[in-house]
Amino acid sequence: MKNLGKFKAIALLLFAVAFVSCDNSDDPTPMPVDNTITGIAVQNPNLKILVQALTKADLATTLKGAGPFTIFAPTDAAFTAFLKTTPYATINDVPKEALTQILLNHVVSGAVKSNALTTGYIKTLAKGSASTTNNLSMYVDLSSGVKLNGVSNVTTADIIASNGVIHVVDAVIGLPTVVTHALANKNFTSLVGALTGAGQPDFVATLSGAGPFTVFAPTNAAFTALNAELAPGGTQSVSAADLTKVLQYHVVSGNVLAATLTEGQMVTPILTPAQKFTIQLAGGAKIKDANNRISTIITTDVQCSNGVIHAIDKVLLPVL
């Protein structure tokens, strides 16, 4: 009996040792770290509202996917400032569809590090209401740091995720209107000055409206050339009424993408009474205005939420 008792005691001891060894509680297997864009955002204390927004818009899972994606990630302070410009108290109060498009307007395809950015336009994953085929454009300005659409600055760049790159920004990038893109691009300062000059109708309000509008936008160089063309009086000799006609001559109703332009197409701007201009495609897209002057389209399909912009190298002139 004593031997049987000793045998039971030894068996129980061996069982206890085996149990402790199998439990392995002193050396747990570490959980895998989520280094996706969403995972990194979750770990960042300054991106809590972004994570809430991504979750509500069903984009948190998307940004855990293969990608690669680049996200310009607004901080909590950026979202708080943004919400003050809206009727909504919290990010969860923003309608899901609107929130989804705003968030997608911060995301571009590919892993784009800061040293790969150049001044100019890139496409976000957002859609405006003006076009079903052309994603919204984002203007990147590298003249002083990295500024996006003229409203948001990159404050922390190149946070590398397993499925892309995060750049932290200091403001939410709203869906850009025609006015947003005109203001963001310094090559359009002369155009903005003309649109907002004394004696002009409220072009800003109009081109911030629903639209859609297509704007053939003369660059600063185009206005400089016009000033020389109209010498000795230059553009200062043009009356406010005639300048209004010139500006209206550059605006067309609808979202007219470059691919839809055809050789010899007669385009009717919003100028009243109507005067047309003609599209010429041979040797590159050009416009012949009512005075038979030729302007080259140098940038196409800058997509806005309420229309599209095509940059041109010469101011179009109707018959005044």
Side-chain angles (χ1 to χ4, degrees):
M1 291 295 292
K2 289 182 178 181
N3 290 336
L4 179 61
K6 288 182 179 180
F7 177 79
K8 288 182 177 180
I10 293 171
L12 287 171
L13 179 61
L14 291 174
F15 176 78
V17 171
F19 178 80
V20 170
S21 299
C22 292
D23 179 61
N24 203 29
S25 58
D26 292 333
D27 185 25
T29 301
M31 295 294 291
V33 177
D34 184 355
N35 284 322
T36 65
I37 288 172
T38 297
I40 291 174
V42 167
Q43 299 166 44
N44 190 318
N46 294 317
L47 300 179
K48 291 180 180 178
I49 300 178
L50 173 62
V51 173
Q52 292 173 14
L54 291 172
T55 301
K56 175 172 180 175
D58 294 330
L59 293 175
T61 301
T62 300
L63 294 179
K64 288 170 70 77
F69 306 102
T70 297
I71 183 169
F72 297 94
T75 61
D76 290 346
F79 272 109
T80 299
F82 168 73
L83 287 169
K84 289 180 179 178
T85 69
T86 74
Y88 309 111
T90 72
I91 203 68
N92 287 325
D93 297 323
V94 181
K96 181 178 178 180
E97 180 55 32
L99 182 61
T100 299
Q101 291 305 308
I102 290 170
L103 292 171
L104 288 175
N105 196 46
H106 293 74
V107 183
V108 300
S109 294
V112 185
K113 294 183 180 179
S114 58
N115 61 7
L117 293 170
T118 58
T119 295
Y121 296 101
I122 57 178
K123 291 293 186 182
T124 74
L125 299 188
K127 294 278 192 182
S129 59
S131 174
T132 58
T133 59
N134 192 29
N135 285 25
L136 292 180
S137 299
M138 176 186 287
Y139 187 69
V140 179
D141 182 355
L142 301 185
S143 61
S144 180
V146 179
K147 177 162 276 192
L148 308 167
N149 282 2
V151 298
S152 187
N153 300 284
V154 173
T155 56
T156 303
D158 297 335
I159 300 172
I160 306 302
S162 60
N163 62 341
V165 180
I166 301 171
H167 304 295
V168 178
V169 297
D170 63 0
V172 172
I173 308 165
L175 304 186
T177 65
V178 168
V179 172
T180 303
H181 274 309
L183 290 170
N185 189 336
K186 294 175 182 177
N187 287 318
F188 294 138
T189 54
S190 295
L191 173 61
V192 171
L195 290 169
T196 57
Q200 294 307 305
D202 195 346
F203 280 112
V204 171
T206 299
L207 295 177
S208 297
F213 308 100
T214 298
V215 178
F216 293 89
T219 63
N220 293 343
F223 276 96
T224 299
L226 178 65
N227 196 53
E229 186 178 345
L230 298 179
T235 54
Q236 296 299 317
S237 65
V238 179
S239 68
D242 281 346
L243 180 58
T244 299
K245 293 177 183 177
V246 170
L247 294 172
Q248 290 174 334
Y249 193 52
H250 292 77
V251 182
V252 178
S253 294
N255 196 84
V256 183
L257 298 178
T260 67
L261 298 174
T262 58
E263 177 65 37
Q265 180 180 355
M266 302 293 290
V267 178
T268 304
I270 64 171
L271 174 62
T272 303
Q275 293 189 48
K276 299 179 184 293
F277 57 75
T278 307
I279 301 298
Q280 298 179 335
L281 299 181
K286 299 178 178 63
I287 297 172
K288 182 171 74 173
D289 66 21
N291 291 283
N292 294 319
R293 298 162 62 260
I294 303 297
S295 175
T296 299
I297 301 175
I298 56 176
T299 302
T300 62
D301 296 344
V302 178
Q303 188 62 55
C304 315
S305 61
N306 65 339
V308 67
I309 297 173
H310 308 292
I312 56 178
D313 69 352
K314 184 175 286 189
V315 177
L316 305 175
L317 293 180
V319 176
L320 300 174

